Amino acid sequence: MPLWYDQFKWIHFCQSRLKVFCFYCMKASDSLTRSTTADQAFVTSGFSNWKKAIQKFKLHERSLAHKNALITLAVPKVPINEQLLREADNTRRKHRQSLLKQLSALRYLLRQGIAIRNDHVGGSNLTIMLQMVLEESTWVKDGKYQSPECINEMIEIMGHKVLRSLIIDVQSQKWYSILADETRDLSNREQMVICLRYVSNEYEVFEDLTGLVQLDNITADTIYSALKDCITRMGLDFANCRGQGYDGARNFQGHVKGVAKRFQDDYPAAISVHCLAHCINLCLQEATRTCNCIKQALNFSMEAIQLIKLSPKRQVLFESIQKQEGSQVHGIRTLCPTRWTVRTAAMQALITNYRTLEYTMQEASDGSDDCSRRASGVAALMEKFQTFFGLKLSVLLFGITEQLSTTLQGREINVDDSFMAVKLCLQTLQRLRTDCEFGRFFKSVKSQASDLCEHPVLPRMRRPPRRVDDGASPHVFPSVEEYYRREYFEAIDIIKGELERRFAQENFLFARQTEELLLNSANAKPINL
């Protein structure tokens, strides 16, 4: 009999009655008594026919009553409606967890600036991330909450949550300033970015983006209405605005109907200051437009970089020549199309790779297409000393202004620090404007250019047009050094003059005086009115 327990797990032996019963059928006897297929010998009376025990055991195990008893004991006695509710709760719980993971994945993509949807065959970036983090694949297969409308709604909800927390911080500090600028995006739509600048109780400066606003046009009326609408929606008081920061466009800084003028007419405490970094950008633009030496150097840089960067064939040719010469320096860098103060690295890369670039242009000029003719022209320009001198002078002056621009864009810089940074930059330029500094610079450039291009010569002086020619003989430079001395001094004078003019803003000086008044008052120093 002990072997029967191993073969038939349901056997239950009653020692008092010396009979065998079915454990499962006895447990489910209430339901089996109504069944005509129930074997009562294994339920009530007991089985004791030991000769046919194995045969009867197998027969009972295959009976419908035994199978029903197993099912009855396996399935809990729960009403069907309660089972449906429980299953619905489990489904909702799983979906809620999947949705939370989808929101986490979406937040990660937004935080890292990664595209949510793309043209990948295996699915979008969001779908691939969900396949990695979700244990239940049916959520991804069913595409729940993954339509463009749902995704955009989730993004909008997240953005509103961030914006509400930001507005609470601004309202708690009360005073704030507005920063705004507009530009055209890739879809050819005018977009205006609006930022808020405020200071915490710990004197920590914050500049936070509050959103983009699509504009129908870029008139001052439209921009001013969009600004007021955004500030009103954020629940901020216009009377608490203490500053405005825009670029130098007429629609922003116009002295009659510009956005800054209109805002300050309604709220006089909102002082408008022209963006200091943009002022430096305009200074360099003016120097490039006026100084012939720097203008030619930038035109050459633009042409040479485009010929290399816009052609994989010439890029490979340049890199192969660079390897043959054993050069370990970096390659050519692209010029920034809008920010002039970050072009120093691109022009310095041209100087460092001057010989390699010259060999590349000479080989690329072997052809009859338009690019070959352009490469031939660039190679001819590289043989002139004037080109190399213009690059070195641009790197010298652009490097100084780039350091100033980096300082002025610091988050914790104040008005007095900005004024001192501009003053130091002007002093640096003034120190360079001496015959001794020019002689040192010209000697250094001439020494470096001795193996790269031709010796410096006086350029051919063109006669002025007859309509402006007064008959006087043109000025003749006594030497090559005198000609480049004029170019050197002219570039420095233009940048110095533009810096002094653009940083002598009335509101900028007023802001500096206000800051000085507050600091002296806080430090118990005498106030000079």
Side-chain angles (χ1 to χ4, degrees), residues 75-94:
V75 179
K77 297 180 180 179
V78 181
I80 186 63
N81 58 343
E82 187 175 344
Q83 295 182 33
L84 293 175
L85 291 175
R86 186 179 300 174
E87 184 64 23
D89 290 339
N90 293 333
T91 303
R92 281 193 295 268
R93 180 179 53 80
K94 292 179 180 179

Side-chain angles (χ1 to χ4, degrees), residues 437-502:
E437 289 295 333
F438 167 74
R440 188 181 296 107
F441 175 76
F442 185 76
K443 182 178 179 181
S444 173
V445 174
K446 189 176 179 180
S447 175
Q448 295 178 35
S450 60
D451 298 333
L452 299 176
C453 55
E454 300 173 350
H455 293 290
V457 295
L458 282 173
R460 188 183 66 175
M461 304 302 297
R462 297 182 179 181
R463 293 184 60 87
R466 291 185 178 180
R467 58 185 177 82
V468 297
D469 189 7
D470 57 356
S473 58
H475 176 73
V476 178
F477 292 94
S479 64
V480 176
E481 187 172 349
E482 287 297 326
Y483 170 77
Y484 286 105
R485 185 195 308 272
R486 188 203 67 174
E487 297 287 333
Y488 179 85
F489 284 168
E490 180 185 9
I492 294 179
D493 289 341
I494 292 173
I495 295 180
K496 277 181 77 279
E498 286 297 313
L499 285 174
E500 293 173 350
R501 181 176 70 87
R502 294 191 178 276

Side-chain angles (χ1 to χ4, degrees), residues 112-383:
Q112 298 300 115
I114 304 174
I116 299 171
R117 292 182 289 269
N118 55 16
D119 298 331
H120 194 271
V121 179
S124 64
N125 293 328
L126 180 60
T127 302
I128 295 175
M129 285 195 66
L130 291 178
Q131 291 174 349
M132 295 173 58
V133 301
L134 285 180
E135 300 177 358
E136 185 182 5
S137 60
T138 56
W139 177 271
V140 181
K141 292 180 180 178
D142 296 342
K144 295 182 180 295
Y145 299 104
Q146 298 181 42
S147 64
E149 293 78 9
C150 292
I151 296 298
N152 291 335
E153 184 179 357
M154 293 177 188
I155 296 174
E156 185 177 2
I157 293 173
M158 292 181 182
H160 289 169
K161 175 64 176 178
V162 174
L163 184 59
R164 280 192 293 269
S165 62
L166 169 63
I167 293 173
I168 292 175
D169 294 338
V170 178
Q171 290 175 342
S172 63
Q173 307 306 324
K174 190 175 181 180
W175 316 111
Y176 65 93
S177 297
I178 301 174
L179 306 176
D181 193 13
E182 56 83 20
T183 186
R184 183 176 58 193
D185 60 10
L186 293 177
S187 62
N188 203 27
R189 304 291 183 185
E190 289 290 343
Q191 302 279 356
M192 180 175 66
V193 60
I194 302 176
C195 299
L196 294 179
R197 180 183 174 96
Y198 61 98
V199 183
S200 66
N201 293 330
E202 291 76 21
Y203 302 103
E204 185 178 2
V205 180
F206 291 93
E207 288 184 1
D208 294 322
L209 173 69
T210 59
L212 289 171
V213 180
Q214 182 172 324
L215 303 174
D216 297 333
N217 53 67
I218 55 174
T219 62
D221 292 336
T222 304
I223 296 175
Y224 185 54
S225 299
L227 274 176
K228 294 192 68 175
D229 180 68
C230 290
I231 297 175
T232 303
R233 290 175 181 272
M234 287 186 287
L236 300 176
D237 190 354
F238 290 93
N240 295 333
C241 181
R242 289 296 181 268
Q244 306 176 69
Y246 314 115
D247 60 11
R250 183 180 301 175
N251 52 4
F252 278 111
Q253 296 290 352
H255 66 281
V256 178
K257 294 184 178 181
V259 174
K261 182 64 169 56
R262 293 188 179 191
F263 204 105
Q264 197 164 6
D265 289 342
D266 296 337
Y267 309 98
I271 302 173
S272 172
V273 177
H274 186 183
C275 175
L276 302 184
H278 188 254
C279 288
I280 303 175
N281 211 46
L282 295 178
C283 294
L284 295 181
Q285 287 188 28
E286 184 64 27
T288 304
R289 183 166 46 249
T290 308
C291 183
N292 186 55
C293 183
I294 295 180
K295 179 169 64 176
Q296 290 181 358
L298 280 178
N299 291 338
F300 160 77
S301 302
M302 187 77 69
E303 183 71 8
I305 292 173
Q306 286 182 352
L307 284 173
I308 297 296
K309 288 296 184 180
L310 298 183
S311 172
K313 179 181 178 181
R314 288 187 290 273
Q315 177 75 30
V316 173
L317 176 62
F318 173 83
E319 293 174 355
S320 63
I321 294 177
Q322 193 177 36
K323 290 181 180 180
Q324 290 176 6
E325 294 185 352
S327 177
Q328 302 294 330
V329 297
H330 295 289
I332 302 299
R333 298 188 179 185
T334 306
L335 281 176
C336 179
T338 55
R339 298 177 61 191
W340 294 62
T341 55
V342 296
R343 297 187 173 188
T344 309
M347 291 184 289
Q348 182 61 46
L350 290 177
I351 296 174
T352 308
N353 297 279
Y354 201 88
R355 187 184 301 277
T356 304
L357 183 63
E358 188 174 9
Y359 290 158
T360 304
M361 292 302 168
Q362 290 175 358
E363 293 195 22
S365 62
D366 296 337
S368 57
D369 57 343
D370 182 63
C371 291
S372 298
R373 289 189 290 270
R374 290 169 58 187
S376 177
V378 171
L381 287 175
M382 297 188 70
E383 296 177 357

